[in-house]
Amino acid sequence: MGRLEDLAVHYANAARWELSEALNRIATLDEEGTLHDKDLGRIAYAYQRMSWWQQVTDLTHGCEEPIDGATALLTVRQRAQDLLINARPVNNGGLFVLAMAEARRGGARAFLDATEKLADALALLSDHDTHPAGEPSPTLPTTGQAPPERRRP
């Protein structure tokens, strides 16, 4: 197991702990026995965050063919981005449905934020791996002209 897989397990465990703390609020209601909307929101948000990390650990430690941490992380990041971009707006269903949709978006956003620097580093590493050491990586010309090997006489 590599460093990325260990990091994913660490984040998944931290998210599970956060969910556990949020759920403990139900078990230890205040003297009035009141459960507030912020308590339910915290539970929903923590659950959504935990589910994204669980997807990563399922891919890296799955019963079927486990994949490497980088591939798992980038795969789940793509799913989270798709959710944020393609999620349909909730137009009906009441406040509860709106709150749960917001929790899903918040959990996806928190996952993307937590993995942003890591994913950028992975993208740079994979770009570096595709270009041999002596070969320059493609760049855009700054002079407005085509690169010398493509210039027409």
Side-chain angles (χ1 to χ4, degrees):
M1 186 165 31
R3 175 77 175 123
L4 283 175
E5 290 84 358
D6 290 341
L7 190 60
V9 169
H10 170 74
Y11 274 106
N13 287 336
R16 281 186 200 94
W17 183 83
E18 183 182 335
L19 177 60
S20 174
E21 288 294 308
L23 289 169
N24 280 338
R25 173 69 180 105
I26 293 175
T28 59
L29 289 174
D30 60 10
E31 55 278 347
E32 298 174 8
T34 306
L35 187 64
H36 301 283
D37 57 348
K38 67 180 179 181
D39 299 320
L40 293 174
R42 182 175 169 211
I43 291 167
Y45 173 78
Y47 173 77
Q48 292 299 324
R49 241 185 93 230
M50 188 264 317
S51 70
W52 290 108
W53 286 108
Q54 184 63 49
Q55 288 181 50
V56 175
T57 58
D58 286 349
L59 290 172
T60 59
H61 298 83
C63 296
E64 299 196 17
E65 181 104 12
I67 60 175
D68 67 286
T71 304
L73 187 68
L74 293 175
T75 299
V76 177
R77 274 185 60 83
Q78 184 60 49
R79 291 177 192 165
Q81 288 172 339
D82 289 345
L83 176 99
L84 289 174
I85 293 169
N86 299 323
R88 296 178 147 212
V90 178
N91 295 325
N92 51 20
L95 292 177
F96 181 77
V97 173
L98 289 171
M100 292 303 103
E102 184 58 33
R104 278 190 296 280
R105 287 189 299 272
R109 182 77 255 160
F111 174 77
L112 289 172
D113 290 346
T115 60
E116 184 174 7
K117 290 180 183 172
L118 193 53
D120 289 345
L122 289 172
L124 287 174
L125 286 176
S126 66
D127 185 45
H128 177 69
D129 291 342
T130 58
H131 299 289
E135 181 181 312
S137 60
T139 58
L140 294 175
T142 56
T143 61
Q145 297 178 346
E149 65 272 9
R150 295 189 185 204
R151 211 178 287 148
R152 295 183 187 223

